[in-house]
Amino acid sequence: MKIVVLDAEIANPGDLSWGGISALGELTIHKDTPYDEASVAAAIGDADAIILNKVPITAGVIDKCPNLKYIGILATGYNIIDIEAAKARGIVVSNVPGYATEAVAQHSIALLLQLTNHVAVHNKAVHAGRWADLGQWCFWEAPLSELYGKTFGCIGFGAIGQATAKVAAALGMRVIACGSRPTEAGRAIASYVTQDELLAQSHVVSLHCPLLPATAGIINRENIAKMRDGAFLLNTARGGLVVEADLAEALNSGKLAGAGVDVTATEPIPPSSPLLTAKNCIITPHIAWAAIETRTRLLGIVEENLRAFVVGSPINNVAAAH
C-alpha cells in the first residue's frame, strides 16, 4: 500500500516519528503541499491512502486520483474534505475525535489568565527595568482582576467546553452554558441557560461550538451589545464564529475589556486584520492543540485509524456517518 502525507510539518515538525505509519506501507512525506487541485493531485499520485491536516480534498482531486481508498485527517474537523464525493467513491475518511480536549481547555484558561493577570506584560516590564527604576516593592502596569465569584459562560458545551468549565469552576467561578444538546454530564458542571441569558450574565464568554451556518458570526455587533460591559471573550474554537471588525470595535470602545483568541477568520491572520490593532486583544497562532503530548496522541490515533482500515474494520469513519 502506498501512503502519502500531504502536509506533515505542522503536526510533526521533526520531534515525533512516522515509524508506526511507515510500517503499514510505502510512505512518502511532503512537508507541505500547495492547495490548488493540480498540486494536490500530483502529490497524491497513485497512492492508496493519504494523511493530511488542512490540504483540501475536493471532488476534482478525488476524480484525479483513481487509486485513492483512504483519507486520514490529522484533526477532528473534516470540512476540508468533499465528503459526498469521497462517499460516492467508497473512500473511507477517518478523523481524530477528542485528542486535544485537555490541551484546548488549558489554552483557553491560559488566555483568560493573561487577560486578568497580564503576566507577560509585567514580566516584560520587570526585565526592562521598570521595577528597579520605581524603587517600590510592588507595581502594576495594567488593571488586575480576580475571577473568583464571577460567571464563566460557555457557548457550546461538548467535551472541550466541559473540560474548560471544570477549570473555571476550580477557580471559584459560576459556570453557565448553552448548547444544542444539554446532557446530564453538562448539568453536573454548569447550569444551562439561553444564549441571550448567557451573554447578559457572563463576565467571561468562551466559545466552544462548531462552525456551522447557524453559528457563523455568532459574536457580532448585535450579540456583543447583549454582553456585560467589561466582559472578556475567549475563542479557541473557530475564527469564523466572530465578526472580527465588530469585536475590534467593542474592544476599542471599551465595551469589552479584552479578548483572547487562538483562531482567526483567515489563517494566518492578514496584516489588515482589525484584531491586530484592537485594544487588549491577545492572539496566539492556532496552537491550543500543539503540545507535544497532544500531537503524540494525535499521531497515535491516526496510526490506529489507518491500521484499522488495513485490516478491513475502519474506525472514526466520518464518511459512513453521512
Side-chain angles (χ1 to χ4, degrees), residues 184-300:
E184 289 307 310
R187 289 189 179 92
I189 303 165
S191 299
Y192 282 97
V193 296
T194 67
Q195 181 177 294
D196 281 356
E197 288 172 333
L198 185 145
L199 294 171
Q201 295 177 29
S202 297
H203 297 88
V204 180
V205 174
S206 193
L207 303 180
H208 300 286
C209 54
L211 179 58
L212 303 168
T215 59
I218 195 170
I219 300 301
N220 53 33
R221 184 178 287 106
E222 180 182 355
N223 281 335
I224 290 171
K226 299 173 184 176
M227 294 174 66
R228 279 179 176 268
D229 291 347
F232 294 120
L233 176 75
L234 306 177
N235 186 12
T236 53
R238 289 290 182 265
L241 298 172
V242 175
V243 179
E244 293 178 346
D246 293 353
L247 174 57
E249 179 183 88
L251 292 168
N252 291 332
S253 70
K255 166 64 179 177
L256 298 184
V261 303
D262 186 52
V263 289
T264 54
T266 300
E267 296 176 344
I269 191 169
S272 60
S273 171
L275 296 183
L276 290 173
T277 54
K279 293 179 181 177
N280 207 20
C281 186
I282 299 166
I283 308 168
T284 53
H286 206 145
I287 56 171
W289 67 283
I292 189 166
E293 297 88 350
T294 313
R295 291 183 293 108
T296 299
R297 187 181 306 120
L298 171 64
L299 259 63

Side-chain angles (χ1 to χ4, degrees), residues 18-318:
W18 295 104
I21 292 171
S22 66
L24 298 173
E26 177 188 332
L27 180 62
T28 300
I29 295 176
H30 299 279
K31 286 187 175 181
D32 203 1
T33 302
Y35 284 6
D36 62 283
E37 285 187 355
S39 296
V40 175
I44 295 170
D46 61 352
D48 304 284
I50 59 173
I51 295 170
L52 57 97
N53 196 323
K54 299 298 183 188
V55 175
I57 305 300
T58 63
V61 168
I62 290 170
D63 287 343
K64 291 179 173 69
C65 301
N67 283 4
L68 188 59
K69 305 173 186 67
Y70 176 85
I71 300 171
I73 308 170
L74 286 156
T76 302
Y78 51 89
N79 57 302
I80 50 160
I81 312 295
D82 189 322
I83 293 292
E84 294 305 320
K87 186 175 181 180
R89 270 270 305 278
I91 297 171
V92 172
V93 181
S94 291
N95 74 334
V96 184
Y99 75 97
T101 299
E102 290 77 14
V104 177
Q106 176 179 317
H107 197 81
S108 298
I109 298 299
L111 290 170
L112 176 58
L113 294 178
Q114 177 60 30
L115 288 167
T116 58
N117 291 66
H118 305 285
V119 172
V121 170
H122 290 98
N123 173 67
K124 184 177 180 180
V126 169
H127 280 86
R130 286 272 293 134
W131 197 5
D133 290 345
L134 286 169
Q136 300 289 337
W137 67 272
C138 169
F139 81 101
W140 54 90
E141 295 268 297
L144 307 174
S145 54
E146 186 177 275
L147 292 170
Y148 181 84
K150 292 181 178 173
T151 299
F152 187 91
C154 288
I155 297 180
F157 210 50
I160 294 174
Q162 290 179 25
T164 307
K166 287 177 182 177
V167 184
L171 292 170
M173 301 189 76
R174 167 184 174 244
V175 180
I176 58 177
C178 64
S180 58
R181 296 184 297 276
T183 65
E184 289 307 310
R187 289 189 179 92
I189 303 165
S191 299
Y192 282 97
V193 296
T194 67
Q195 181 177 294
D196 281 356
E197 288 172 333
L198 185 145
L199 294 171
Q201 295 177 29
S202 297
H203 297 88
V204 180
V205 174
S206 193
L207 303 180
H208 300 286
C209 54
L211 179 58
L212 303 168
T215 59
I218 195 170
I219 300 301
N220 53 33
R221 184 178 287 106
E222 180 182 355
N223 281 335
I224 290 171
K226 299 173 184 176
M227 294 174 66
R228 279 179 176 268
D229 291 347
F232 294 120
L233 176 75
L234 306 177
N235 186 12
T236 53
R238 289 290 182 265
L241 298 172
V242 175
V243 179
E244 293 178 346
D246 293 353
L247 174 57
E249 179 183 88
L251 292 168
N252 291 332
S253 70
K255 166 64 179 177
L256 298 184
V261 303
D262 186 52
V263 289
T264 54
T266 300
E267 296 176 344
I269 191 169
S272 60
S273 171
L275 296 183
L276 290 173
T277 54
K279 293 179 181 177
N280 207 20
C281 186
I282 299 166
I283 308 168
T284 53
H286 206 145
I287 56 171
W289 67 283
I292 189 166
E293 297 88 350
T294 313
R295 291 183 293 108
T296 299
R297 187 181 306 120
L298 171 64
L299 259 63
I301 299 172
V302 168
E303 179 186 336
E304 290 174 13
N305 285 347
L306 182 55
R307 194 178 298 278
F309 167 75
V310 170
V311 300
S313 301
I315 58 175
N316 297 319
N317 183 6
V318 294

